[in-house]
PDB file of all heavy atoms in Angstrom:
ATOM      1  N   LEU A 237     167.814 174.650  56.845  1.00 98.00           N
ATOM      2  CA  LEU A 237     167.950 174.719  58.296  1.00 98.00           C
ATOM      3  C   LEU A 237     169.273 174.088  58.695  1.00 98.00           C
ATOM      4  O   LEU A 237     169.640 173.028  58.181  1.00 98.00           O
ATOM      5  CB  LEU A 237     166.807 173.977  59.005  1.00 98.00           C
ATOM      6  CG  LEU A 237     165.476 174.701  59.160  1.00 98.00           C
ATOM      7  CD1 LEU A 237     164.503 173.839  59.972  1.00 98.00           C
ATOM      8  CD2 LEU A 237     165.636 176.060  59.822  1.00 98.00           C
ATOM      9  N   PRO A 238     169.999 174.708  59.624  1.00 98.00           N
ATOM     10  CA  PRO A 238     171.265 174.122  60.076  1.00 98.00           C
ATOM     11  C   PRO A 238     171.026 172.913  60.975  1.00 98.00           C
ATOM     12  O   PRO A 238     169.891 172.628  61.373  1.00 98.00           O
ATOM     13  CB  PRO A 238     171.916 175.270  60.853  1.00 98.00           C
ATOM     14  CG  PRO A 238     170.766 176.084  61.344  1.00 98.00           C
ATOM     15  CD  PRO A 238     169.705 175.998  60.279  1.00 98.00           C
ATOM     16  N   ASP A 239     172.084 172.235  61.304  1.00 97.00           N
ATOM     17  CA  ASP A 239     172.032 171.118  62.240  1.00 97.00           C
ATOM     18  C   ASP A 239     171.856 171.679  63.657  1.00 97.00           C
ATOM     19  O   ASP A 239     172.690 172.455  64.121  1.00 97.00           O
ATOM     20  CB  ASP A 239     173.322 170.314  62.130  1.00 97.00           C
ATOM     21  CG  ASP A 239     173.352 169.116  63.057  1.00 97.00           C
ATOM     22  OD1 ASP A 239     172.296 168.785  63.627  1.00 97.00           O
ATOM     23  OD2 ASP A 239     174.433 168.518  63.218  1.00 97.00           O
ATOM     24  N   PHE A 240     170.788 171.312  64.341  1.00 98.00           N
ATOM     25  CA  PHE A 240     170.508 171.830  65.678  1.00 98.00           C
ATOM     26  C   PHE A 240     171.082 170.952  66.789  1.00 98.00           C
ATOM     27  O   PHE A 240     170.850 171.235  67.962  1.00 98.00           O
ATOM     28  CB  PHE A 240     168.999 171.984  65.877  1.00 98.00           C
ATOM     29  CG  PHE A 240     168.414 173.156  65.144  1.00 98.00           C
ATOM     30  CD1 PHE A 240     167.914 173.008  63.865  1.00 98.00           C
ATOM     31  CD2 PHE A 240     168.378 174.410  65.726  1.00 98.00           C
ATOM     32  CE1 PHE A 240     167.373 174.075  63.168  1.00 98.00           C
ATOM     33  CE2 PHE A 240     167.851 175.499  65.046  1.00 98.00           C
ATOM     34  CZ  PHE A 240     167.349 175.333  63.767  1.00 98.00           C
ATOM     35  N   LYS A 241     171.820 169.921  66.441  1.00 97.00           N
ATOM     36  CA  LYS A 241     172.352 169.025  67.460  1.00 97.00           C
ATOM     37  C   LYS A 241     173.238 169.792  68.435  1.00 97.00           C
ATOM     38  O   LYS A 241     174.143 170.512  68.035  1.00 97.00           O
ATOM     39  CB  LYS A 241     173.142 167.888  66.815  1.00 97.00           C
ATOM     40  CG  LYS A 241     173.691 166.883  67.818  1.00 97.00           C
ATOM     41  CD  LYS A 241     174.363 165.724  67.113  1.00 97.00           C
ATOM     42  CE  LYS A 241     175.048 164.792  68.095  1.00 97.00           C
ATOM     43  NZ  LYS A 241     174.127 164.261  69.117  1.00 97.00           N
ATOM     44  N   ASP A 242     172.952 169.648  69.726  1.00 97.00           N
ATOM     45  CA  ASP A 242     173.714 170.264  70.817  1.00 97.00           C
ATOM     46  C   ASP A 242     173.726 171.793  70.756  1.00 97.00           C
ATOM     47  O   ASP A 242     174.660 172.433  71.242  1.00 97.00           O
ATOM     48  CB  ASP A 242     175.160 169.738  70.835  1.00 97.00           C
ATOM     49  CG  ASP A 242     175.224 168.256  71.159  1.00 97.00           C
ATOM     50  OD1 ASP A 242     174.298 167.755  71.823  1.00 97.00           O
ATOM     51  OD2 ASP A 242     176.197 167.593  70.737  1.00 97.00           O
ATOM     52  N   SER A 243     172.697 172.381  70.163  1.00 98.00           N
ATOM     53  CA  SER A 243     172.625 173.834  70.074  1.00 98.00           C
ATOM     54  C   SER A 243     171.738 174.404  71.176  1.00 98.00           C
ATOM     55  O   SER A 243     171.027 173.686  71.877  1.00 98.00           O
ATOM     56  CB  SER A 243     172.081 174.252  68.711  1.00 98.00           C
ATOM     57  OG  SER A 243     170.704 173.907  68.604  1.00 98.00           O
ATOM     58  N   ILE A 244     171.785 175.726  71.308  1.00 98.00           N
ATOM     59  CA  ILE A 244     170.821 176.472  72.116  1.00 98.00           C
ATOM     60  C   ILE A 244     169.881 177.148  71.132  1.00 98.00           C
ATOM     61  O   ILE A 244     170.301 177.957  70.302  1.00 98.00           O
ATOM     62  CB  ILE A 244     171.514 177.523  73.001  1.00 98.00           C
ATOM     63  CG1 ILE A 244     172.453 176.842  73.996  1.00 98.00           C
ATOM     64  CG2 ILE A 244     170.478 178.383  73.732  1.00 98.00           C
ATOM     65  CD1 ILE A 244     173.354 177.805  74.753  1.00 98.00           C
ATOM     66  N   LEU A 245     168.617 176.795  71.198  1.00 98.00           N
ATOM     67  CA  LEU A 245     167.620 177.321  70.269  1.00 98.00           C
ATOM     68  C   LEU A 245     166.913 178.517  70.889  1.00 98.00           C
ATOM     69  O   LEU A 245     166.444 178.444  72.024  1.00 98.00           O
ATOM     70  CB  LEU A 245     166.597 176.235  69.937  1.00 98.00           C
ATOM     71  CG  LEU A 245     165.380 176.664  69.104  1.00 98.00           C
ATOM     72  CD1 LEU A 245     165.804 177.113  67.706  1.00 98.00           C
ATOM     73  CD2 LEU A 245     164.370 175.514  69.020  1.00 98.00           C
ATOM     74  N   PHE A 246     166.837 179.635  70.140  1.00 98.00           N
ATOM     75  CA  PHE A 246     166.044 180.771  70.591  1.00 98.00           C
ATOM     76  C   PHE A 246     164.954 181.064  69.557  1.00 98.00           C
ATOM     77  O   PHE A 246     165.161 180.882  68.347  1.00 98.00           O
ATOM     78  CB  PHE A 246     166.917 182.010  70.838  1.00 98.00           C
ATOM     79  CG  PHE A 246     167.422 182.695  69.595  1.00 98.00           C
ATOM     80  CD1 PHE A 246     166.723 183.752  69.019  1.00 98.00           C
ATOM     81  CD2 PHE A 246     168.618 182.286  69.001  1.00 98.00           C
ATOM     82  CE1 PHE A 246     167.197 184.388  67.874  1.00 98.00           C
ATOM     83  CE2 PHE A 246     169.102 182.926  67.861  1.00 98.00           C
ATOM     84  CZ  PHE A 246     168.391 183.976  67.295  1.00 98.00           C
ATOM     85  N   LEU A 247     163.807 181.499  70.032  1.00 98.00           N
ATOM     86  CA  LEU A 247     162.659 181.748  69.161  1.00 98.00           C
ATOM     87  C   LEU A 247     161.929 183.009  69.586  1.00 98.00           C
ATOM     88  O   LEU A 247     161.976 183.418  70.746  1.00 98.00           O
ATOM     89  CB  LEU A 247     161.676 180.566  69.217  1.00 98.00           C
ATOM     90  CG  LEU A 247     162.183 179.213  68.716  1.00 98.00           C
ATOM     91  CD1 LEU A 247     161.175 178.125  69.058  1.00 98.00           C
ATOM     92  CD2 LEU A 247     162.462 179.238  67.214  1.00 98.00           C
ATOM     93  N   GLU A 248     161.217 183.627  68.631  1.00 96.00           N
ATOM     94  CA  GLU A 248     160.329 184.755  68.899  1.00 96.00           C
ATOM     95  C   GLU A 248     159.186 184.693  67.888  1.00 96.00           C
ATOM     96  O   GLU A 248     159.289 184.006  66.861  1.00 96.00           O
ATOM     97  CB  GLU A 248     161.075 186.091  68.790  1.00 96.00           C
ATOM     98  CG  GLU A 248     161.690 186.385  67.436  1.00 96.00           C
ATOM     99  CD  GLU A 248     160.749 187.048  66.433  1.00 96.00           C
ATOM    100  OE1 GLU A 248     159.736 187.652  66.867  1.00 96.00           O
ATOM    101  OE2 GLU A 248     161.014 186.960  65.227  1.00 96.00           O
TER     102      GLU A 248
END
Side-chain angles (χ1 to χ4, degrees):
L237 279 184
D239 181 11
F240 286 92
K241 182 175 174 57
D242 295 334
S243 69
I244 297 170
L245 173 65
F246 73 93
L247 297 171
E248 60 86 21

